Amino acid sequence: MSVELRELDKKTNDFQEGPVTFEAYSEADVDFSDEGLADVDRSQAGSSFLAYFNVVCVVAGTGTLGLPYALRLGGWIGILILVLAWTMSVYTGILLIRCLYANGKRRLSTYKEIATTCFGVIGGWVTFFFNAWILLGAPILYMVLSGTNINELCVGTAGEIGVVPWTIISCALVAIPFVLVKSMKEVAWMSALGAVSTLIVVFICLVCSAIDKPNQVNVHHDTVIWPQFPIALSTISFSFGGNVVYPHVEASMKRPKAWPKVVAAGLSTCAAMYFVTGLFGYLIYGDRVENPIYNSIPDGAARSVALVIITLHVLTAAPILVTSFALDVEEMLNISVERFGKVKEFLFRAAVRILTITAVGVIACVVPHFSELMSLIGAFANCVLIFVFPVVFYLKLTGIKNKSIVELTWCFLIILLGIVGLIFGTMEAIKELIAAFST
């Protein structure tokens, strides 16, 4: 539905005559911020604390478990790359949200809309493709991981029914909150649970690896492994990939001005967990460390608990990602209460979400070598969505000449890191895909 609103004249602090059209919002969704800019309705929005948990739950998890292996690939220099990726991802997370408000008239709603504003329809759909691949691809991998973990935990019992049945059950568990809740605010409690779960797994791995240290003799460490350094760089860079959900997380906040603090705190929490697991995991196991890190610790009750908790994490992180995708689709289809009424709106929304989670489950169960295919497009998509696009869009929307040399240099370094990760991550993913189809 189009809504005609009068544009605020910033010089006179009054509204000009003449319509300003807001295609992306219904009448109930459009409101004016205290600066006269049309914003989404935040009357039922959540706290910054809940938004913080959304960021931590989406970004942490797989990165936390994989960082020791990334150091094994590249050596201790990976710690430096971790610091760079952390600071750069905080910066680009802030830039991405600034782009939503850059036109001075209304808040843009999605990553796709930012791209469309900058580079037209083609740019918008290219960005949407990459965005959708991550928002759906990651949950697919999470469902496979969940099915594998649960089946492993049930070995030797009646519950050992196979990975595929447990993957289907995992999808059904995710479908319940996914279909019933509507916004990012309503899945925030799951984010808090997922964030705490990740922290517990970090603690278990830390304690178990410390206990296991006397058994690890002749462990080898490298300062830098140049041939594998670019791969390690791309792996570490991927560990901060939350940009795909940031527009919806920020839209769920009562105080959007607190976003820089929220994203900085969320990514800093993730970086702290990465430092702990990466540093101690590589220090103790060196060139023998496995991915994920809990495969390196001895079998026993602690490892089983880690499997249970990380499964809980992926089951709570998946709804956040698919909800973000569903919100994008529902907005493009203009599925709203104002258009259909409460009952029909719920039915249409439920239909979209059931089809989405069904597609996730089918692909998780039947597509061969999906993880390798995900790595291929993920290597490309993650780097451009995290590092390249936010900077390019920001400079396109706000201009280059008004930026200092220091800021432009920093932006150049961020784009360079993204391109290096993109190239070498894609090359490695292609090798993995070729090897998978050759066997």
Side-chain angles (χ1 to χ4, degrees):
M1 177 183 293
S2 296
V3 181
E4 292 191 351
L5 298 170
R6 291 173 297 164
E7 185 177 1
L8 182 70
D9 189 329
K10 295 182 179 178
K11 293 182 179 179
T12 63
N13 199 34
D14 197 3
F15 290 105
Q16 298 175 345
E17 293 301 324
V20 180
T21 303
F22 295 86
E23 297 290 349
Y25 302 101
S26 67
E27 288 186 38
D29 291 332
V30 181
D31 195 6
F32 278 102
S33 71
D34 56 0
E35 296 178 351
L37 183 144
D39 193 9
V40 293
D41 178 18
R42 299 181 188 270
S43 59
Q44 302 299 318
S47 68
S48 300
F49 200 54
L50 293 178
Y52 158 81
F53 280 122
N54 273 329
V55 173
V56 174
C57 188
V58 169
V59 175
T62 53
T64 304
L65 301 176
L67 253 294
Y69 187 78
L71 294 181
R72 170 184 168 180
L73 291 176
W76 285 118
I77 198 172
I79 296 294
L80 174 62
I81 301 303
L82 178 59
V83 173
L84 278 176
W86 164 40
T87 54
M88 289 178 174
S89 61
V90 170
Y91 182 71
T92 59
I94 294 172
L95 290 191
L96 181 64
I97 300 305
R98 284 184 186 174
C99 290
L100 296 175
Y101 299 90
N103 66 15
K105 298 179 180 179
R106 69 174 178 92
R107 180 192 184 276
L108 303 179
S109 53
T110 63
Y111 211 144
K112 175 180 178 291
E113 195 172 6
I114 296 172
T116 302
T117 302
C118 292
F119 298 106
V121 175
I122 294 177
W125 283 110
V126 168
T127 301
F128 177 76
F129 170 77
F130 289 139
N131 217 41
W133 186 265
I134 301 301
L135 290 174
L136 293 180
I140 290 170
L141 294 180
Y142 283 171
M143 294 303 95
V144 174
L145 178 62
S146 175
T148 303
N149 286 353
I150 296 174
N151 196 63
E152 181 179 340
L153 290 167
C154 294
V155 169
T157 71
E160 189 183 358
I161 57 178
V163 173
V164 171
W166 276 119
T167 300
I168 295 172
I169 294 171
S170 298
C171 290
L173 292 173
V174 169
I176 296 172
F178 176 46
V179 173
L180 294 180
V181 304
K182 186 174 182 178
S183 67
M184 297 297 290
K185 175 199 168 186
E186 293 169 302
V187 296
W189 65 271
M190 300 186 69
S191 302
L193 185 60
V196 172
S197 299
T198 305
L199 186 60
I200 294 173
V201 172
V202 169
F203 179 75
I204 291 173
C205 292
L206 177 62
V207 173
C208 291
S209 58
I211 295 173
D212 194 37
K213 189 179 187 306
N215 300 322
Q216 304 303 315
V217 294
N218 299 321
V219 172
H220 179 71
H221 303 92
D222 292 283
T223 303
V224 58
I225 306 173
W226 290 115
Q228 298 186 81
F229 170 72
I231 302 169
L233 184 152
S234 62
T235 302
I236 294 170
S237 299
F238 296 163
S239 300
F240 291 96
N243 289 27
V244 289
V245 301
Y246 288 168
H248 292 300
V249 172
E250 190 267 353
S252 71
M253 293 172 58
K254 189 80 171 179
R255 295 177 56 248
K257 289 183 179 179
W259 172 252
K261 294 179 181 178
V262 168
V263 71
L267 293 180
S268 296
T269 301
C270 295
M273 290 191 284
Y274 293 168
F275 275 117
V276 170
T277 56
L279 186 64
F280 286 93
Y282 186 58
L283 179 65
I284 293 171
Y285 294 104
D287 56 346
R288 302 172 188 170
V289 72
E290 297 183 42
N291 185 17
I293 180 61
Y294 57 69
N295 285 337
S296 294
I297 65 177
D299 289 333
R303 185 174 181 276
S304 296
V305 171
L307 280 173
V308 171
I309 295 176
I310 203 62
T311 302
L312 181 64
H313 167 78
V314 300
L315 289 175
T316 52
I320 301 171
L321 293 162
V322 288
T323 296
S324 185
F325 172 79
L327 289 172
D328 286 347
V329 173
E330 289 157 16
E331 183 175 326
M332 287 190 292
L333 298 176
N334 194 17
I335 298 175
S336 64
V337 174
E338 292 70 35
R339 182 182 180 189
F340 296 109
K342 288 185 177 181
V343 175
K344 287 186 178 179
E345 184 270 346
F346 173 77
L347 293 176
F348 281 121
R349 176 162 53 84
V352 169
R353 298 191 179 203
I354 290 171
L355 288 174
T356 300
I357 199 64
T358 300
V360 167
V362 169
I363 295 172
C365 293
V366 304
V367 173
H369 311 302
F370 179 79
S371 62
E372 288 81 5
L373 184 61
M374 174 69 188
S375 296
L376 175 59
I377 300 185
F380 191 87
N382 257 319
C383 279
V384 295
L385 290 173
I386 299 168
F387 298 111
V388 180
F389 283 176
V391 175
V392 172
F393 294 164
Y394 174 68
L395 295 177
K396 174 73 173 178
L397 289 170
T398 63
I400 297 177
K401 293 182 179 180
N402 57 353
K403 306 294 187 297
S404 67
I405 295 297
V406 174
E407 185 175 7
L408 290 176
T409 302
W410 180 239
C411 289
F412 171 77
L413 290 175
I414 294 173
I415 293 175
L416 180 63
L417 179 73
I419 291 175
V420 170
L422 181 155
I423 292 172
F424 289 98
T426 302
M427 289 172 56
E428 182 63 22
I430 290 174
K431 292 178 184 177
E432 292 179 0
L433 196 60
I434 293 174
F437 276 101
S438 299
T439 56

